[in-house]
Amino acid sequence: MKVAVFSTKSYDRTFLEAANAGQHELVFFEPRLNLETSVLTAGFPAVCAFVNDTLDAKTLRAIAQNGVRLLALRSAGFNHVDLAVARDLDLTLLRVPAYSPYAVAEHAVAMILSLNRKIHRAYNRVREGNFALDGLLGFDLHGKTVGIVGTGRIGAITAQILHGFGCRLLGYDVYQNPDCLALGMEYVALPELFAASDIVSLHCPLIPETYHLIGAEAIGQMKPGMMLINTSRGQLIDTKAVTKALKSGIIGYLGLDVYEQETDLFFEDLSNHVIQDDVFQRLLTFPNVLITGHQAFFTEEALKNIAETTIGNITDFEQGRPCPNQIDLDQVKK
């Protein structure tokens, strides 16, 4: 198939071309897909998009009018797609439901360790010849209570790693994961998890029920000085409420790999620009906040898995085979 691949960086091209091995005609576009760039899809029956591409009603109608029949996502999440419009346009929507859960889980734990032991601050101090330890005091992870919200594959691996540190594990999910239960995890209601946890790590999908899951009400239930980690979806967190909690000391540490308004920021070099997002800029002023630019997934293993699954999805569609990674648009409410 002839496929227009949007939001591509050099690493995307490297892994996709290796996985493709000449099967499909991949045409790479660095810009993000949106209404303005949708003109580039003319003549392509398939489009490959990433998490920060704008796949709203107007863009979907434009690419469908250009002849696009397949939308292959290089991501697990699809909350950026207008599913009802995709269904009405008879678009086929495929995704990558899993790549390397270890990548995201390990990054979450890396953020916990960095925030706790002030690694990011110590690194900068030593480079400036400052070897004083004042302000770098941490705590033992051993014996601390960690609440994991969402115990699917990534949450379960995060729990496994933290179990190795000797942490007490609390979990919240619609379904209890046997692997987590085997680690000794106790499933509790969210208010109890928030009240008891020294660290809360988010690993749940973004759905209407989880939008701003961490807001003023949830923060009011948390242990003062707790650590909050989000490597899942930015909109799980009400950033303004979290900023207020940082100022009051209820949240003592904050680690974010995702941000609710990240579309105009992440995956781009803005070092020579003035960032206009005042809320994000305010977060950067806190010494107890660590932000990475949506890089938790960014390992060789994950990129290889994403590329291979994406190419496999496109091949299934081209050859008329049922694809296990197709999103059932018939289940979308009209």
Side-chain angles (χ1 to χ4, degrees):
M1 293 191 74
K2 189 176 181 182
V3 185
V5 189
F6 284 86
S7 294
T8 54
K9 305 296 184 185
S10 60
Y11 45 82
D12 295 307
R13 183 166 188 157
T14 297
F15 284 91
L16 283 169
E17 286 182 335
N20 185 48
Q23 298 176 70
H24 305 284
E25 182 183 348
L26 305 181
V27 179
F28 296 94
F29 297 101
E30 186 174 344
R32 295 174 180 174
L33 176 58
N34 52 38
L35 182 59
E36 183 179 346
T37 59
S38 63
V39 65
L40 297 172
T41 66
F44 290 89
V47 160
C48 182
F50 196 46
V51 290
N52 282 342
D53 289 312
T54 302
L55 302 172
D56 57 9
K58 291 181 179 180
T59 303
L60 292 179
R61 291 192 181 101
I63 67 174
Q65 190 172 5
N66 285 341
V68 173
R69 296 178 289 116
L70 170 65
L71 187 55
L73 302 177
R74 323 195 284 281
S75 60
F78 49 89
N79 54 281
H80 57 309
V81 184
D82 191 321
L83 299 180
V85 172
R87 178 202 59 215
D88 295 342
L89 294 171
D90 199 28
L91 291 172
T92 297
L93 190 58
L94 308 176
R95 67 180 182 126
V96 181
Y99 28 95
S100 171
Y102 296 97
V104 181
E106 290 170 5
H107 192 83
V109 176
M111 298 193 89
I112 292 172
L113 292 169
S114 295
L115 280 165
N116 173 26
R117 303 308 297 268
K118 320 293 192 298
I119 301 298
H120 55 305
R121 300 185 67 192
Y123 171 81
N124 287 324
R125 279 193 189 184
V126 169
R127 286 176 63 86
E128 296 174 356
N130 181 356
F131 304 101
L133 300 183
D134 300 290
L136 301 181
L137 187 66
F139 57 82
D140 287 356
L141 274 180
H142 182 85
K144 295 299 184 292
T145 299
V146 181
I148 296 181
V149 182
T151 57
R153 294 184 67 192
I154 296 173
I157 293 170
T158 305
Q160 181 182 6
I161 297 170
L162 292 169
H163 177 262
F165 279 95
C167 297
R168 175 194 176 208
L169 300 173
L170 299 180
Y172 175 82
D173 204 318
V174 177
Y175 303 102
Q176 296 188 6
N177 189 328
D179 293 336
C180 292
L181 291 172
L183 296 172
M185 175 180 285
E186 179 185 356
Y187 280 87
V188 296
L190 274 178
E192 184 178 347
L193 183 147
F194 292 145
S197 296
D198 301 294
I199 302 167
V200 172
S201 190
L202 304 179
H203 300 284
C204 50
L206 177 62
I207 56 177
E209 292 77 14
T210 60
Y211 175 78
H212 280 185
L213 178 71
I214 306 299
E217 182 179 355
I219 291 168
Q221 299 164 351
M222 292 177 176
K223 180 185 292 189
M226 59 81 67
M227 180 187 294
L228 177 62
I229 304 292
N230 186 13
T231 55
S232 188
R233 292 289 181 268
Q235 290 171 307
L236 297 177
I237 286 180
D238 180 343
T239 311
K240 291 183 179 179
V242 165
T243 302
K244 186 176 180 180
L246 283 164
K247 293 170 68 176
S248 70
I250 294 177
I251 295 179
Y253 312 79
L254 177 66
L256 301 178
D257 185 58
V258 288
Y259 171 61
E260 61 178 326
Q261 301 296 333
E262 70 177 56
T263 303
D264 295 328
L265 298 174
F266 290 0
F267 304 113
E268 305 298 335
D269 180 1
L270 303 178
S271 57
N272 291 320
H273 296 75
V274 175
I275 294 176
Q276 300 298 317
D277 188 329
D278 292 340
V279 175
F280 185 80
Q281 290 290 73
R282 182 71 179 95
L283 282 177
L284 295 179
T285 66
F286 290 95
N288 53 345
V289 172
L290 177 61
I291 301 176
T292 53
H294 206 134
Q295 74 174 79
F297 79 100
F298 199 60
T299 66
E300 290 184 12
E301 292 80 1
L303 288 179
K304 184 173 184 289
N305 291 341
I306 290 170
E308 290 177 348
T309 302
T310 299
I311 296 300
N313 288 345
I314 294 170
T315 302
D316 283 344
F317 178 85
E318 180 193 38
Q319 298 185 1
R321 296 193 300 252
C323 180
N325 302 320
Q326 181 170 347
I327 298 169
D328 187 357
L329 298 177
D330 291 333
Q331 300 300 316
V332 179
K333 293 182 180 179
K334 294 185 178 181

